[in-house]
Amino acid sequence: MVQNETENGGASLLLWLGIAVVVLVVIYVLAKTVKAKAGAATKPGAKFRPSLTAEDVEGIRFRPPRLRERGYDVEQVSDLLDQTVLELRRLADENLRLQQQKADPLSQPVLVGSPVITPDQVVNRKFQTLKIRQGVSPAEVDDFLDRVVLGLRQWNAENAKLRSELSGNTLGNAS
């Protein structure tokens, strides 16, 4: 009987050691995978992944304001979002043309168009507030506009990086 308990204790210990080894191997593999993905985003030639696209902006819907809260004017918010969609499309198109030019340096220089809206204009935009419980939630709009500013800055930085890599193969602002 004593010998049987010792054998069971030994088997139990081996089982726990086996589980511990498996857990450590899984953690190691996950850590290597995460590190490889993080490194891929910072390597030269890594594909730019925007945090915001025109489709993201087109798909956004805001709730009405909370009880006892004044909402932003829907038309003013919609106008800003329309301008943002146009600017994101312009930046994405410019980015594509810059990447094509980078792949084929003998192609025509990319004309840099005038922005429809800048991140600073989004930051400084003020909206009329309406009567209580009318319009759209100011908190939701403000949070989303923070994403818009970040997204526009990322697109602008990526395009500026591509233009600098092309060094001199890009013409100034087109009117």
Side-chain angles (χ1 to χ4, degrees):
M1 178 97 171
V2 174
Q3 186 179 13
N4 193 16
E5 287 177 15
T6 307
E7 288 174 7
N8 286 342
S12 180
L13 179 63
L14 285 174
L15 178 65
W16 283 109
L17 283 174
I19 292 171
V21 168
V22 169
V23 168
L24 289 174
V25 168
V26 168
I27 290 172
Y28 175 78
V29 169
L30 287 174
K32 291 291 257 182
T33 303
V34 168
K35 185 176 179 181
K37 286 183 180 178
T42 59
K43 288 180 184 174
K47 185 163 172 61
F48 172 62
R49 298 190 188 275
S51 65
L52 188 70
T53 64
E55 292 76 23
D56 295 331
V57 177
E58 289 175 326
I60 192 70
R61 300 292 176 258
F62 300 112
R63 289 186 290 229
R66 295 186 180 127
L67 192 61
R68 298 185 196 157
E69 182 180 46
R70 294 176 178 267
Y72 286 156
D73 181 276
V74 175
E75 290 300 317
Q76 292 177 351
V77 172
S78 291
D79 289 345
L80 177 68
L81 295 179
D82 290 344
Q83 290 175 329
T84 301
V85 166
L86 291 173
E87 179 61 7
L88 287 168
R89 285 192 176 132
R90 185 193 71 78
L91 289 166
D93 180 60
E94 179 181 296
N95 184 276
L96 178 64
R97 288 183 289 117
L98 287 166
Q99 288 183 24
Q100 289 170 344
Q101 183 181 7
K102 187 176 174 185
D104 181 12
L106 298 177
S107 63
Q108 291 291 321
V110 176
L111 296 173
V112 179
S114 299
V116 176
I117 192 164
T118 67
D120 289 339
Q121 289 172 322
V122 174
V123 168
N124 295 322
R125 184 65 58 99
K126 303 290 183 223
F127 301 107
Q128 177 183 351
T129 54
L130 305 174
K131 294 179 183 177
I132 292 178
R133 296 282 296 164
Q134 290 185 357
V136 291
S137 170
E140 284 187 19
V141 171
D142 291 343
D143 288 346
F144 187 72
L145 292 183
D146 289 343
R147 281 188 59 204
V148 167
V149 169
L150 176 65
L152 289 174
R153 287 181 177 157
Q154 287 174 335
W155 275 107
N156 283 315
E158 176 66 15
N159 289 358
K161 182 184 109 186
L162 286 170
R163 283 191 299 274
S164 74
E165 289 173 3
L166 291 167
S167 61
N169 224 7
T170 306
L171 300 179
N173 281 355
S175 297

